[in-house]
Each structure stands twice: as structure tokens, then as C-alpha cells.
């Protein structure tokens, strides 16, 4: 009798917190009778600032309807999202990459802090938000899937948008004219239509097996997207019932599939930061070398902007989307990988067929024999640097010229405004890496400015937008702030770039770099008192390791 009383007390003590938490949820309007059903977190990155996210409330409503219809309870919360298009060209871009970690942390805090969830759906579209959500899913390992915000339609071709930007920079178009033309390229909600980081990471979510088939590039708020969002709500309940978690989906083989897809479509260089960061949450390593090894055997098949100026991801979706592209790549991917459908990759893509061979070329007749990204090494980047070779004109893939060195994006802007950039220069913008920036800014506006030159190269320890093209080499590791070779360069140093040979070097006398290194003094990190940028600068790893927090 005494033992039974003790057991009853223990049971009451254990049950007490659950009873109180149910009371709190009832205060939020949740029906008490529903709280013994599976509770699903709906992590939404909606806000009124980011075009790719402004419509996610409507998708979330569909997701929650699907969860309810399948016997679950959906509880929604929000996280942040930064628009890289708005953040470009000023100090705000320093916050973009660090926001990835903040997003993952905030989702972890909401889920683990409340301790009530059985599964999770994450909603996002854009650059750092999709990988941040996937990092959280990997970290938490609850049955989870990704609902993607899709793509805005483009009413003009990429080349028309690019021409308008060039005209503005050359003083031939005023602000209102640029806004009016750009609004025809960016006409509404959804990710921007080019194959930038947003659409790259949407596609790679599906390639990893974490999003439903063919949802990567659906038109935002189309009937098919709304239906897919509701199906996602139903499917997360099935994942809960079957106990299928992200760790059983995002395996080493799944990441190799994603890398193969990235290279076959010439996706954003930023994916070489984000895939390793997601893998890091799972205890996996994806070094730069893996990207280059796969690039040498997986051809470039799907050419949309910025790899050409005719087609966008809307055309890629029309041509069959991710299932068609992966079906074309079958001999280069692991078909047995599990996905959120509960089926394998091979089963998901089995009926995928290419509907437009101008967009997705046959494996036997690729655009190029190698993938869209190359990893360069040499005495300027011992740990590697990245270039989107699919967006570099063949005549520029071997290039040499004198270095013109700047210690920030702002220094470069000032030099350009004074007419100090010339054909044949190798522009070096350093101290823009994870620690040096801090925050590893994208230098997309710099690549747009340099678009007026026919023979100029850009090298940086910063990043590039997925929209960037031309001879733009970034992510150079180790970065200048850690004493990497870019910190040792001087104006006039002869730089040699050889993309086919994968080399990036400065041609100076033997021992010269060692002499300069001995004399080099670290620059004081920029003061951001109490700022997340200061914390990130102190903890960020090399770009070659995903720029994750250590």
C-alpha cells in the first residue's frame, strides 16, 4: 500500500507540469480535448519586408488545415528573415549570413523551450532562411518537412532587367524608370525569379528529400502551391506516425545528391556554405574538395539566369522542375535515399520527364562537361576559393593581371567613383570574410558595377549573390582577418587565375609571402558593442567549413 502511494505521488508530480501547460495553451484558444493529439510546430518566417516571405501566412493556413485534417494540432510561431536584395550594397549585408544561425537557434528555442511538439513544418523561401530552417530541423530531429514559398513570375526577360540596371549605373535611366522596369521582373510575392541563393536552396531542399516533390519552384500562391502546402500538413502527420526524422533523410548520400544537383544547375556559390552548415548539425563534413570532385564528373545541364539571360526558374519549373532534373541525373545520384514522402528518391522522380530541352539538356549533350562550380587552390587560397564557372565567359577562364587591393567594399566603391578601375585589373576586396567583415557580406553590387568592363577579375574573402556572374572569385580561405594570403597582397602584384587547372596564385619571388606574413599585424575587429556581429566575429569558422559558429 505504501509503495502504491509513493508511485501515485510520482505520477502526480510528473503529470502536474503537463496539466499546467495544457491550461496555458487553452488560454491561447486551443481546445483542451485536442491536446492529446500530436502537436505540430509550424515555424514560419513571414514578415512584411521580404518578397519571398510576405505570402507565407496564407501558406501556413493551408499547412495547418492539412495537419488538422490528418488528426493533429498545429501551433504556429515566427522567426526572422532578411531580404538580401534589400540588404545589398550597404552595411546591412553584414547581418545576412549571421542571421542563419539566429534562425536555427530561435526555432530550437521555441521547440525545445516548450517541449510540447511531436513534429514540425518550416516555411521559408529565401537565402539564409531556408538553410537556417534546415539546420534547425537537423538539430531537433523531430519528424519534419519544408514548405517552400516558391517563385514570383517574371514579366520580362532577365536580360531586360539587367539592361535597366546597367542603364541606371551609366546615368541613362532615372530611379523611377529603374523601379518601374524592376517591378516587371519582381512583380509580386515569392523568391526572385533568377537562380540565386533563394531558388538554389529551395531546389536543394527537395534534392535533399526534405520537401515534397516538384514544390521547389512553384509559382507563389498558385492553386498548385496552396494544394501542396495542405498536403505537406497531412504528410508531416504521416512522418510522425512512421517515426521518419531528418537524420534518416539527410544522410551523407542525400547531401551528395544535393551537391550533384547544385552543380548540374549551376546554382549559387552560397550553397557551398549552407550545405556544409546543415551537414555540420548532423555530424557530417562536406569540404570544398567534395564539391570540386563531384563537379568534375557531373555536367552542367540546366542553364537559367545568371548562367544565361533568357530563362529563369519559372522556365525550369515549366521544363519539369526538380524531378525532371534529378531523373536526368539518375546515374550520378543515390536513388535509395529516403525522403519526406516516405518513398525513395528513385520512386519520387520515376515519372519526372523533361518538357523543354532548351532548359534541361540531356546528360549525353550537356551545356558543359563539368558542373557549374569550381574550387580553386594555390598560394592565394590554400583552403580553397569558389567561382561559378558556368557564368564565366570561356575567354576569361584563364586570366592574369595586376592586383588592385581594397580593404572593404566601401574602399572599392570610392575608387570606382574616381575612375581608378581599369581593364585588365584584378580587383581584390579583402577583410570581408566571416570574421573580418564581420558577417561575410555579399559583394553583388560590386559585380554589377564591374559589368561595364570586359576584362576585369574580382577576388574576395567575402561572398557573392547567386545572381552574380563574370570572373568573380570569392570565399577565399583562410580569410584576410586570420592572416590569409589576401592580407599579404600589395597593389601591382601579378595574379594568375586558371579555372580549368583550378589554380589561384600570386606570382612573387620565393619567400616573399613568408616575409610579408612575418610583418603582418592583425587588424582590430570593427567595434559593434553588444552586437550579434561581434559575437559572430569571435565564433565564426572559415568559409571552407561553412562559416558556422564554433
Amino acid at each position: 500500500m505504501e509503495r502504491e502511494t509513493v508511485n501515485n505521488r510520482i505520477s502526480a508530480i510528473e503529470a502536474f507540469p503537463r496539466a499546467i501547460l495544457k491550461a496555458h495553451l487553452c488560454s491561447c484558444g486551443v481546445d483542451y480535448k485536442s491536446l492529446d493529439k500530436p502537436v505540430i510546430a509550424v515555424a514560419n518566417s513571414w514578415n512584411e519586408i521580404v518578397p519571398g516571405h510576405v505570402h507565407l501566412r496564407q501558406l501556413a493556413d493551408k499547412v495547418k488545415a492539412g495537419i488538422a485534417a490528418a488528426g493533429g494540432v498545429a501551433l504556429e510561431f515566427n522567426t526572422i528573415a532578411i531580404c538580401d536584395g534589400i540588404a545589398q550594397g550597404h552595411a546591412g549585408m553584414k547581418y545576412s549570413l549571421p542571421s542563419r544561425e539566429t534562425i536555427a537557434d530561435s526555432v530550437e528555442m521555441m521547440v525545445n523551450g516548450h517541449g510540447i511538439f511531436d513534429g514540425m513544418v518550416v516555411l521559408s523561401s529565401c537565402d539564409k532562411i531556408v538553410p537556417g530552417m534546415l539546420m534547425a530541423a537537423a538539430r531537433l530531429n523531430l519528424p519534419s518537412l519544408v514548405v517552400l514559398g516558391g517563385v514570383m513570375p517574371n514579366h520580362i526577360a532577365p536580360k531586360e532587367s539587367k539592361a535597366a540596371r546597367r542603364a541606371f549605373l551609366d546615368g541613362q535611366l532615372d530611379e523611377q524608370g529603374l523601379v518601374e522596369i524592376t517591378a516587371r521582373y519582381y512583380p509580386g510575392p515569392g523568391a526572385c525569379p533568377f537562380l540565386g541563393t533563394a531558388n538554389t536552396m529551395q531546389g536543394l531542399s527537395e534534392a535533399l528529400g526534405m520537401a515534397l516533390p516538384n514544390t521547389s519552384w512553384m509559382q507563389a500562391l498558385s492553386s498548385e502551391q496552396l494544394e501542396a502546402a495542405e498536403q505537406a500538413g497531412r504528410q508531416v502527420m504521416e512522418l510522425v506516425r512512421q517515426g521518419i526524422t531528418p537524420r534518416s533523410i539527410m544522410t551523407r548520400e542525400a547531401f551528395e545528391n544535393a551537391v550533384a544537383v547544385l552543380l548540374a544547375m549551376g546554382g549559387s556559390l552560397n550553397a557551398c556554405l549552407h550545405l556544409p552548415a546543415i551537414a555540420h548539425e548532423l555530424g557530417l563534413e562536406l569540404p570544398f574538395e567534395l564539391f570540386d570532385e563531384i563537379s568534375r564528373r557531373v555536367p552542367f545541364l540546366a542553364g537559367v539566369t545568371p548562367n544565361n539571360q533568357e530563362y529563369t526558374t519559372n522556365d525550369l519549373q515549366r521544363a519539369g522542375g526538380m524531378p525532371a532534373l534529378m531523373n536526368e541525373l539518375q546515374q550520378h545520384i543515390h536513388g535509395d535515399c529516403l525522403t519526406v514522402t516516405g518513398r525513395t528518391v528513385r520512386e519520387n522522380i520515376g515519372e519526372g520527364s523533361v518538357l523543354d530541352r532548351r532548359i534541361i539538356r540531356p546528360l549525353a549533350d550537356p551545356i558543359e562537361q563539368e558542373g557549374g562550380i569550381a574550387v580553386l587552390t594555390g598560394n592565394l587560397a590554400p583552403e580553397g576559393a569558389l567561382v561559378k564557372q558556368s557564368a564565366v565567359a570561356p575567354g576569361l577562364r584563364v586570366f592574369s593581371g595586376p592586383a588592385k587591393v581594397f580593404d572593404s567594399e566601401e574602399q572599392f566603391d570610392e575608387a570606382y567613383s574616381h575612375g581608378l578601375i581599369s581593364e585588365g585589373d584584378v580587383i581584390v576586396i579583402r577583410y570581408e570574410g566571416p570574421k573580418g567583415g564581420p558577417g561575410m557580406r555579399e559583394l553583388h553590387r560590386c559585380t554589377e558595377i564591374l559589368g561595364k568592363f570586359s576584362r576585369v577579375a574580382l577576388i574576395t574573402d567575402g561572398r557573392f549573390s547567386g545572381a552574380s556572374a563574370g570572373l568573380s572569385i570569392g570565399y577565399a580561405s583562410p580569410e584576410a582577418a586570420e592572416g590569409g594570403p589576401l592580407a599579404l597582397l600589395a597593389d601591382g602584384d601579378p595574379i594568375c587565375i586558371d579555372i580549368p587547372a583550378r589554380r589561384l596564385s600570386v606570382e612573387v619571388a620565393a619567400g616573399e609571402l613568408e616575409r610579408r606574413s612575418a610583418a603582418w599585424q592583425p587588424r582590430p575587429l570593427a567595434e559593434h558593442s553588444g552586437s550579434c556581429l561581434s559575437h559572430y566575429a569571435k565564433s565564426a569558422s572559415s568559409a571552407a567549413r561553412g562559416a558556422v559558429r564554433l
Side-chain angles (χ1 to χ4, degrees), residues 380 399-401 426 459 494-498 503-507:
L380 274 186
F399 187 97
S400 60
V426 177
I459 300 173
I495 307 296
C496 294
I497 301 164
D498 189 334
R503 300 298 294 170
L504 178 64
S505 60
V506 54
E507 304 298 318

Side-chain angles (χ1 to χ4, degrees), residues 51-52 83-86 88 151-158 161-162 165 178-196 199 305 312 314 444-445 448 465 467:
C83 177
D84 279 25
I86 296 174
Q88 289 285 354
V151 185
M152 61 177 71
N154 55 291
H155 300 323
I156 60 175
S161 173
K162 185 176 182 180
R165 291 175 179 237
L178 179 60
V179 170
E180 289 175 352
I181 293 173
T182 301
R184 297 175 64 199
Y185 193 48
Y186 302 151
C192 301
F194 53 84
L195 189 60
N199 280 318
T305 188
T312 69
N314 289 298
H444 179 54
R445 294 291 175 256
E448 290 189 300
S465 163

Side-chain angles (χ1 to χ4, degrees), residues 250-253 255 275-276 278-286:
M250 290 193 284
T251 61
R252 171 75 179 197
E253 291 75 18
F255 280 101
L275 289 176
I278 300 163
H280 178 76
E281 299 289 344
L282 300 161
L284 301 172
E285 291 187 3
L286 298 182

Side-chain angles (χ1 to χ4, degrees), residues 457-536:
L458 172 59
I459 300 173
T460 182
D461 51 8
R463 303 183 292 121
F464 295 118
S465 163
S468 296
L471 185 50
S472 306
I473 300 166
Y475 312 76
S477 302
E479 63 176 294
E482 294 191 315
L486 290 193
L488 311 178
L489 289 179
D491 284 344
D493 283 342
I495 307 296
C496 294
I497 301 164
D498 189 334
I499 295 175
R502 303 297 202 260
R503 300 298 294 170
L504 178 64
S505 60
V506 54
E507 304 298 318
V508 294
E512 176 62 15
L513 289 183
E514 289 79 0
R515 184 189 65 76
R516 295 183 191 180
S517 181
W520 177 79
Q521 293 293 323
R523 286 160 47 102
L525 292 177
E527 284 297 323
H528 300 276
S529 179
S531 165
C532 57
L533 291 180
S534 294
H535 297 310
Y536 184 77

Side-chain angles (χ1 to χ4, degrees), residues 94 97-101 273 277 280 383 432-441 461 463 477-479 481-482 525 532-550:
K94 293 176 183 286
L97 182 58
S99 76
R100 183 187 68 183
E101 270 60 30
L273 292 179
H280 178 76
E383 294 179 359
E432 290 286 4
K435 293 181 181 296
M440 202 180 186
R441 281 193 286 190
D461 51 8
R463 303 183 292 121
S477 302
E479 63 176 294
E482 294 191 315
L525 292 177
C532 57
L533 291 180
S534 294
H535 297 310
Y536 184 77
K538 293 171 184 176
S539 62
S541 69
S542 165
R545 290 182 288 280
V548 296
R549 247 185 1 227
L550 297 178

